[in-house]
Amino acid sequence: MRLSGLACALGVALVLAGCGERSQHQFTDEVLLPMTPVKNQGKTELCWAYAMLATIETEHILRGDSVNLSPVYIGRMLSHHPSPNAEHPQRAMGQTLLNMIGKYGIVPYDVLPDDATPELVTPRWVFMLGARYTPQEFAHSVCAPDEYLSLTSWPDSPYYRKIEVPVPDNWEHNRLLNVPLDTLRQRVDRALRRRHPVCWESRGHAMSVVGMARDEHQTPYYIMKNSWGTSGPHDGLAYMPAYKMWKDMIAIYMTAEAYGD
């Protein structure tokens, strides 16, 4: 079913409300990766940009680096990278974020934070450690070309080939590697246990997966870094039942290193 309206902000509200209702459960975190502060996409439909950037940020933290990146900059660059979806021009997928930072670059979050007003000028330069970079040069330092794999599990198409996922948000016609669902689940679980985040997308929302947990009944959950601010029982994180994550999954993004051989 195709979600409409502000889907990234509202389309999975019932799903996450369900997770919130489960907050009376006793969760045991098996894996919880470090992360930058939870951001707030507000009324935008940029969840895909927030989720993919959050994944890149956590990956850098685990390498001993620290970057905090601006989804607002990506929102502004969409004027140069127009979607054919006139009703929802901000909707896209994680691969779109990777494509956009390769073309337009990225800037730090503190330069263009979530509450940046239109009067705050889009920067032409990034200043870091006494050096000056273009946004494109800065982006290449935080995400190398082809560093991330775009993955899906589409049973109607051949496995281990790249396919165009037939969903409206894939208006760039990006091709994702099609992997059997059990294999993809094993790769994601292994990546998290080896301390690599992944980016998860459904038809209605995208979040960064930063951990794994179980409740008192040993029911497995994934810990998701959301982009709706820090309200809620888990300070902006969501505990999503594993069956729900895989049932709704459209795309997964992780580094080639995280995916492994």
Side-chain angles (χ1 to χ4, degrees):
M1 180 179 68
R2 172 65 177 169
L3 296 172
S4 60
L6 292 178
C8 279
L10 301 175
V12 291
L14 292 178
V15 172
L16 295 185
C19 295
E21 289 169 2
R22 297 172 185 268
S23 63
Q24 72 269 22
H25 289 273
Q26 298 298 314
F27 291 112
T28 300
D29 295 345
E30 297 180 341
V31 176
L32 182 58
L33 305 180
M35 67 200 82
T36 55
V38 172
K39 299 179 176 68
N40 193 337
Q41 69 185 73
K43 295 181 179 180
T44 73
E45 295 185 284
L46 297 172
C47 56
W48 50 277
Y50 279 82
M52 195 70 234
L53 290 176
T55 302
I56 294 170
E57 291 164 356
T58 288
E59 188 70 42
H60 270 265
I61 292 172
L62 291 165
R63 296 174 186 174
D65 193 6
S66 179
V67 293
N68 197 5
L69 306 170
S70 173
V72 171
Y73 177 83
I74 297 299
R76 292 188 179 187
M77 291 301 105
L78 280 174
S79 63
H80 306 291
H81 197 84
S83 163
N85 188 339
E87 186 178 1
H88 301 291
Q90 291 186 327
R91 296 288 309 251
M93 296 181 71
Q95 183 63 49
T96 304
L97 182 281
L98 298 172
N99 296 343
M100 288 187 67
I101 66 174
K103 185 173 183 179
Y104 305 109
I106 193 66
V107 302
Y109 177 80
D110 59 2
V111 175
L112 279 180
D114 288 341
D115 59 358
T117 63
E119 292 74 25
L120 188 58
V121 176
T122 303
R124 295 178 56 198
W125 303 101
V126 174
F127 296 91
M128 189 73 63
L129 300 176
R132 186 180 75 171
Y133 305 92
T134 65
Q136 291 87 348
E137 289 169 339
F138 180 62
H140 290 159
S141 74
V142 299
C143 185
D146 301 322
E147 181 176 350
Y148 280 81
L149 299 179
S150 301
L151 305 158
T152 190
S153 186
W154 212 261
D156 296 334
S157 296
Y159 289 128
Y160 299 109
R161 296 183 184 177
K162 288 191 174 183
I163 64 168
E164 182 179 325
V165 178
V167 296
D169 290 346
N170 190 20
W171 49 265
E172 287 188 309
H173 306 288
N174 291 307
R175 297 175 68 81
L176 290 73
L177 181 64
N178 192 28
V179 180
L181 186 60
D182 286 346
T183 299
L184 187 55
R185 183 186 296 114
Q186 291 168 7
R187 296 289 176 139
V188 166
D189 288 357
R190 186 178 71 172
L192 291 167
R193 294 187 186 283
R194 293 183 176 181
R195 299 184 66 75
H196 291 282
V198 303
C199 181
W200 168 89
E201 279 191 80
S202 70
R203 291 181 185 267
H205 198 39
M207 294 185 281
S208 183
V209 188
V210 294
M212 306 168 71
R214 291 185 181 271
D215 66 13
E216 71 275 18
H217 304 296
Q218 297 303 303
T219 303
Y221 289 74
Y222 290 97
I223 307 173
M224 325 287 273
K225 182 185 180 185
N226 205 359
S227 52
W228 298 349
T230 56
S231 61
H234 304 294
D235 300 321
L237 301 182
Y239 283 72
M240 180 176 285
Y243 81 88
K244 182 66 177 175
M245 174 173 140
W246 291 111
K247 176 177 178 292
D248 293 347
M249 185 275 303
I250 294 294
I252 291 286
Y253 306 89
M254 67 174 81
T255 63
E257 178 186 0
Y259 185 80
D261 298 327

